[in-house]
Amino acid sequence: MATKTNDTAPLLGGDQSSNNYGSFPSKNGYTLSPSGLATIVSQSQLGAISAYDGISKLASQIGCTDLKSGLSLSSSATSTQREKYGSNALPLPPAPSLWMLLWAALEDPTMLMLLASAVVSLILGLGIERNFETGWIEGASIGVTVLLVVSVAALTDYAKASEFRDQQIKLEDGKHVTVVRGGKSSVSIHPRDLVVGDVVRLAVGDIAAADGVVIQGSDDMKMDESALTGETALIPKTAAEGGDREGGPGDDPFIVSGTNVIQGTGLMLVLAVGPNSIQGKILARIREQEEDDSDHSAETEEAKSAFSALRAFFTFGGSDSGATLMDKLDVLAVDIGKMGLIVAVGVFLIMLTQWLLKDFIVGGPCPELVDEDDCLSTLVCIWSAAPSGGGTCGRHFVAEDVSTILDYFIVAITILVVAVPEGLPLAVTLALAVSMKRMTEDANQVKHMDSCETMGSATTICSDKTGTLTENKMTVMSARYAGYQYDHVVGQGGQDNSLGAKMLSAFKTNAAKSRLLCESILLNVSPTSTVSLNPETGSTFYVGNPTDCALIKLTQQLDCDADSLRVAFKEGTSMLDWGVHSIPFSSQRKRMSWMIRRADGSVSLPYPGRYRMYSKGAPTQMLAACTSFVTDITAAGATSTKPLEARDRQVFMDMVATCQSKGLRALALAYRDFDDVPKGGWGGNGDLETNMTLITVVGIEDPLRPSVPGAIAECHKAGIDVRMCTGDALTTAVAIAKGCRILRVSDLGEGGQPKTGFAMTGAEFDDRVHLKDPSKPKTVRRVFDPEINDAVDRLAEPFLLDEAGNKVLDQKVFDDLWPTLRVLARCQPEDKLALVRGMRKSRVFLDEARCAALFNDHGIRIFPDYQVVAVTGDGTNDAPALKSANVGFAMGIAGTETAKQAADIILLDDSFSSIVQAVMWGRNIFDSISKFIQFQLTVNVVAITLAVIGAFAFNDSPLSAVQMLWVNMIMDSLASLALATEPPTEELLDRMPYGRRRPIISVTMGANIIGHAIYQALILNWVLFAPSSLPLDPPVAFEPTQGSLHWSLFFNVFVMLQLFNEFNSRRLPTAQKLRTTWSEWNVFGGVSRNPYFVAIMIFTFCMQVFIMIYGGVAVNIIPGGLTKAQWLFSVAVGAGGLIWQVLINVIVVVFSPSDYEEEVGLTPTELEEAAYEETAASKWDQVRIGVRRGALYSEVFNTDIKTGIKISKLARCAATSEKSSRSFRHVFSRCINVKTHQ
């Protein structure tokens, strides 16, 4: 590693040479204290291992006396290690306190201005006017209301932070590591339970949970340390040697916490944990830096010119380059704030100007006074004597005028408070937080909050097969072994017809056949893979690799004891669980192998050589590496073999094809005998896995999850394409894709096979979509062989690489390929990565001709916007694709830690159905936020409009500062909680996704906002300017002042309008939904499913009643409140908004374009033809188009619209007759009877 050299200073100074357990061992300057051990790792001090005479003796010095057995299982032993060397628990970031959040909320400029206004109001009322009875009320009311608003915001933020912290703890609780303790080779514990001296198992995909040193590892073990060094090159790791050497210059046995195992397996001795590990120290430094940053202000940006700042301020909206919902909300919030500021400043200037003109320039009460004595007696007027005698009485500025200006300022600030959408981020946070919590119940553990919303826009899901579409409960269903074919038969009654039972029955007189098969399985699987039986239910429980578990289950059915068999091959000097060497599985070789010794102690085995290698892998690669196959095994154990000729290979390949056509995964097992250790050792010979003898080919079934076909059908209905990326053979992948309906009937051609381009291998995909570099010599690489329909290694032109060394994608070829691609078999991680990146860059939706051809030829409808791609992955190599996707899903059960780190959401049950739930939650988040925006913008438009009207008409706002703050709380904190917590429904999957270019305010939302703003403005202006005409007895007098009955009634009507409009905002129907279902017209539908909404509506109404009765002067309400009749009127006009919503819906249905027009993209003429030919367009479309065309004909023929519609129908009939060459008589008989108007 580039950062680890022997002359590097320790990350933390000092050394803990002793603690309560006495002094730590120290030798040749290497101290085994917590900080000393951390230094050994951070500085790669190989000399420390030599100083203590090898890794075994160093381990004994830190508490691990036997590396093979590990630490003791007793809790006292681990507690001692933890107290001595520290805990592996890294503290979570400190949670913000409630007081900190309160202070942060008070730092909002508008809140500070209101508080300052409250203080000034108190000073004027009590100090200057000395009105001790009522002078304090306005200032105190504003102060209390501001504190209430701030408290609600702080409490909400505190709850949000606590929720997020709980989510982080849950994510941490789901982690585990495997250690060797008490002689048990596989003990699963939480990473926080690791202690110094533990022996940890490392496998591909694991993330090191502590610092340590490799004590045993495969020859190809490599780590990704880019998280630490920033270098992408993989770092080889070698096991630490004994005490007789310092180690070579390239030897690096040290492993750092937070780094990933990319290749190989090994055992690691833990040396540093928690705050002493490199990861812990880096985290501590980051937090120190954050504290420093909070104490020192950041450098200010270069000042912009006044013109640039002004231009930026008056620039509204953003680009449509595929922005996320969060980006759109940021733009919307800024635009609303700008408009609010403009209106607030305008209202303040208007009121101030009118007051100055009236009282100081045009004249007020002073000009009416004619003599000096009267003028001076008013205290607000002054007598100015003229030089020629006489004089004039004029207005002068007094202390009370400060209160008037302050009132105007308070009104302006409160308008700004109402306009600024503080509730928007609150609504987003609430919607995301509630969704995250509830998504966990649906087996979706969310790591990144914004990924919830992104899933609502997903247009494509690239899914793995194993475990996601299938149950990941594999079972061996067929085997060709020793010259016989064995198949699983579905049991009848209580009869056991499993493959294992049939083979056990056949092997009764020949146990040697069972032994060879069991050895080839049990001695060549992952040590962490186990199969246990639940005696109560009779079901089996798999832990580890599912394929290994399926094979182990077969050996159990053959009555083979795995533990006793493995003990016979345990090597006394090896850290391996058995055998002398292992070669882990790799996606390049597509096989794994394990070497064992011929005999151990008293055990003598009938092997012709001293060593045997067992290997298993993909049949194509294994058959190519085999030269013979087992034909029979005698009872004495003698194995008969035969050369593997072309005819024999074809027999096995036919079996493989049969398995794949049934959706089974085929696997081949083989062996090779060695007389001695090969030259160069087991790890230095690349030809070990050749010249093997084939033992058997098995077919393994992974049953399709019952819920998957329905879930994929839901995706298709929701406008989401599903693509399968799997490492299985093409035939197997196609069979599974048919079963789960990824390949639909329309995607299949003759013989039930996929059409060209609908299914292909990763090799073909890779070869077609990437550019080649003909200027360079040919090289051996993976290419697609059409004869065998699979990948082979052969000479071919190398790929063209960019500056970063990545393959260059031919976007044009890719765009021709991906729209029809449904199955990608033999898929490697880089193929999945190319697919994800290419789709995200694709602009196929802009090619109308191409989209139309795809729809006409294959029934494929390309989403008319940027592709939003979700990807599932479980392996370490899937991490780049998971990162590159819009949303990455990692498997919670089968996924590696690396995949989980790279993902946005973890599928706790590894099921595809859970992804569909995530889509539903994502769409619900978008809709919840949109509902709140619709409600808030309606209130904003009405409140600002009335504030402007009040400023012009009355030089005052009809809503006082305290009243506006209450309205602000209704529409921000309370409304966001009510509308952002609506639960999702299945109806969310009945529409297409929302595109990235789609404006956040849709046509229907715009119609609702404008429609309700008009209704509310009409009602409120009626109350404001003509109160005496209201249907009330006694009539309400026109008295436009704060605290009057007139403006008290106005305030109550305003709040009732908002309360009932919250019910209207619960629905966001499209025009098509309104045309096709009556449920979308019912704004009360499903309201009982959201207890938050019901509780908040009741609370808000009760608070309004309390304010109107007891608010009095503090809230500028007439003492005693309103009468029953006035309350009934307020509620009635508020409920009138529900009826008004029906009228808005009718207008939307009649005049807005239908979803059919937008999706199909027909021209208006073509759409009209389609409507009259009764295609997908609904009756509503026909009515709307008929009215539109009828109006046109009525103008042309100067007749009424009813006759115009009839003429339109007759013209349509005539046009149809021309196309079909039918007689006019026949046409006329088909048409309606139209009276000709001469």
Side-chain angles (χ1 to χ4, degrees), residues 325-334 424 428 929 933 1000:
L325 174 63
M326 300 306 168
D327 296 331
K328 294 176 183 178
L329 290 177
D330 289 341
V331 172
L332 180 65
V334 170
L424 193 53
V428 173
I929 295 171
I933 291 173
I1000 195 169

Side-chain angles (χ1 to χ4, degrees), residues 764-833:
E764 181 183 2
F765 173 80
D766 185 42
D767 205 48
R768 291 177 62 178
V769 303
H770 290 116
L771 294 173
K772 315 301 185 301
D773 189 354
S775 64
K776 293 183 179 180
K778 291 185 177 181
T779 182
V780 176
R781 64 172 176 84
R782 181 185 62 154
V783 296
F784 175 71
D785 187 344
E787 294 184 1
I788 63 172
N789 203 25
D790 209 340
V792 295
D793 291 334
R794 64 172 56 152
L795 279 173
E797 288 184 350
F799 291 111
L800 181 65
L801 305 179
D802 58 16
E803 295 178 354
N806 299 316
K807 299 176 186 176
V808 178
L809 187 73
D810 188 337
Q811 192 66 47
K812 185 178 184 304
V813 174
F814 181 87
D815 287 345
D816 291 337
L817 195 65
W818 76 263
T820 58
L821 183 62
R822 291 295 179 268
V823 177
L824 194 59
R826 292 285 188 234
C827 175
Q828 293 187 358
E830 62 178 13
D831 301 328
K832 187 187 293 186
L833 177 62

Side-chain angles (χ1 to χ4, degrees), residues 479-486 503 507 513 630-632 696:
R480 186 168 188 82
Y481 175 54
Y484 291 91
Q485 177 72 32
Y486 302 92
M503 297 182 80
F507 299 161
K513 284 186 177 181
V630 175
T631 58
D632 195 13
T696 182

Side-chain angles (χ1 to χ4, degrees), residues 27-28 46-54 241-247:
K27 196 172 183 181
N28 295 348
L46 288 170
I49 299 174
S50 299
Y52 287 92
D53 301 323
E241 297 288 343
D244 57 344
R245 59 189 289 267
E246 288 287 335

Side-chain angles (χ1 to χ4, degrees), residues 46 49 212-223 235-241 245 247-255 265-267:
L46 288 170
I49 299 174
V213 58
V214 179
I215 57 177
Q216 186 271 318
S218 60
D219 298 317
D220 62 344
M221 187 175 184
K222 292 182 180 180
M223 301 290 294
I235 309 299
K237 297 295 176 179
T238 57
E241 297 288 343
R245 59 189 289 267
D251 290 349
D252 184 5
F254 295 103
I255 290 181
T265 59
L267 295 174

Side-chain angles (χ1 to χ4, degrees), residues 871-1166:
V871 171
T872 68
D874 56 4
T876 299
N877 290 339
D878 287 325
L882 292 171
K883 279 289 187 183
S884 297
N886 297 96
V887 180
F889 286 88
M891 304 297 106
I893 299 173
T896 63
E897 284 300 320
T898 304
K900 293 176 184 178
Q901 288 281 344
D904 302 294
I905 300 175
I906 298 175
L907 292 177
L908 299 179
D909 60 355
D910 289 9
S911 174
F912 185 86
S913 301
S914 298
I915 301 177
V916 179
Q917 292 295 319
V919 172
M920 195 161 64
W921 275 108
R923 295 187 176 190
N924 187 67
I925 290 170
F926 193 103
D927 283 1
S928 296
I929 295 171
S930 298
K931 293 171 185 177
F932 173 73
I933 291 173
Q934 175 179 298
F935 174 74
Q936 187 180 55
L937 289 185
T938 303
V939 183
N940 276 350
V941 170
V942 175
I944 292 176
T945 300
L946 292 172
V948 173
I949 292 174
F952 277 106
F954 311 112
N955 210 36
D956 195 1
S957 171
L959 296 174
S960 69
V962 177
Q963 292 171 356
M964 278 195 175
L965 288 173
W966 167 237
V967 171
N968 184 61
M969 182 177 294
I970 292 175
M971 79 175 194
D972 277 351
S973 302
L974 298 178
S976 62
L977 186 60
L979 295 173
T981 54
E982 288 279 345
T985 63
E986 295 290 341
E987 296 171 351
L988 292 169
L989 299 177
D990 293 339
R991 61 166 174 81
M992 299 284 284
Y994 288 143
R996 287 297 180 90
R997 298 188 304 159
R998 175 189 183 272
I1000 195 169
I1001 300 176
S1002 65
V1003 174
T1004 306
M1005 286 177 63
N1008 289 335
I1009 293 170
I1010 295 173
H1012 284 289
I1014 291 173
Y1015 172 76
Q1016 292 185 19
L1018 289 173
I1019 294 295
L1020 291 171
N1021 277 290
W1022 179 26
V1023 176
L1024 192 61
F1025 291 101
S1028 58
S1029 65
L1030 300 178
L1032 295 173
D1033 187 22
V1036 178
F1038 180 77
E1039 189 179 357
T1041 58
Q1042 294 291 347
S1044 64
L1045 174 62
H1046 178 194
W1047 278 14
S1048 298
L1049 177 64
F1050 175 87
F1051 168 61
N1052 199 49
V1053 169
F1054 184 91
V1055 172
M1056 290 299 107
L1057 286 169
Q1058 310 319 316
L1059 280 182
F1060 282 96
N1061 194 35
E1062 275 195 65
F1063 285 96
N1064 291 324
S1065 298
R1066 291 186 62 251
R1067 289 288 181 182
L1068 283 177
T1070 62
Q1072 186 67 17
K1073 279 290 185 182
L1074 289 171
R1075 293 183 180 100
T1076 56
T1077 175
W1078 288 109
S1079 63
E1080 293 296 331
W1081 297 67
N1082 180 16
V1083 297
F1084 297 101
V1087 69
S1088 60
R1089 295 176 61 239
N1090 187 5
Y1092 291 102
F1093 184 90
V1094 176
I1096 288 171
M1097 289 296 99
I1098 295 174
F1099 171 78
T1100 306
F1101 183 81
C1102 293
M1103 281 299 299
Q1104 179 66 15
V1105 172
F1106 179 84
I1107 289 172
M1108 293 302 298
I1109 295 176
Y1110 301 105
V1113 180
V1115 196
N1116 299 108
I1117 298 297
I1118 187 171
L1122 304 180
T1123 64
K1124 183 184 297 184
Q1126 292 160 355
W1127 265 106
L1128 288 175
F1129 173 78
S1130 302
V1131 173
V1133 294
L1138 303 176
I1139 302 174
W1140 189 263
Q1141 180 66 55
V1142 176
L1143 178 61
I1144 294 174
N1145 289 345
V1146 172
I1147 295 173
V1148 169
V1149 165
V1150 175
F1151 293 103
S1152 71
S1154 69
D1155 294 349
Y1156 177 77
E1157 292 179 51
E1158 296 173 358
E1159 291 176 11
V1160 178
L1162 299 177
T1163 63
T1165 303
E1166 292 171 333

Side-chain angles (χ1 to χ4, degrees), residues 569-648:
F569 294 95
K570 176 71 174 177
E571 293 289 327
T573 59
S574 174
M575 292 297 298
L576 292 173
D577 293 83
W578 63 82
V580 296
H581 187 73
S582 67
I583 305 177
F585 176 85
S586 74
S587 57
Q588 289 75 27
R589 295 172 22 257
K590 295 189 182 301
R591 64 173 71 96
M592 68 176 290
S593 301
W594 208 293
M595 292 73 175
I596 60 172
R597 192 184 297 271
R598 175 177 177 270
D600 183 12
S602 60
V603 180
S604 179
L605 302 175
Y607 295 155
R610 291 183 58 201
Y611 296 94
R612 170 166 286 192
M613 176 188 72
Y614 284 116
S615 182
K616 74 170 184 282
T620 303
Q621 283 73 17
M622 291 292 291
L623 284 170
C626 290
T627 57
S628 61
F629 68 102
V630 175
T631 58
D632 195 13
I633 304 171
T634 66
T639 304
S640 300
T641 63
K642 178 184 176 183
L644 188 62
E645 299 176 352
R647 182 179 58 184
D648 303 310

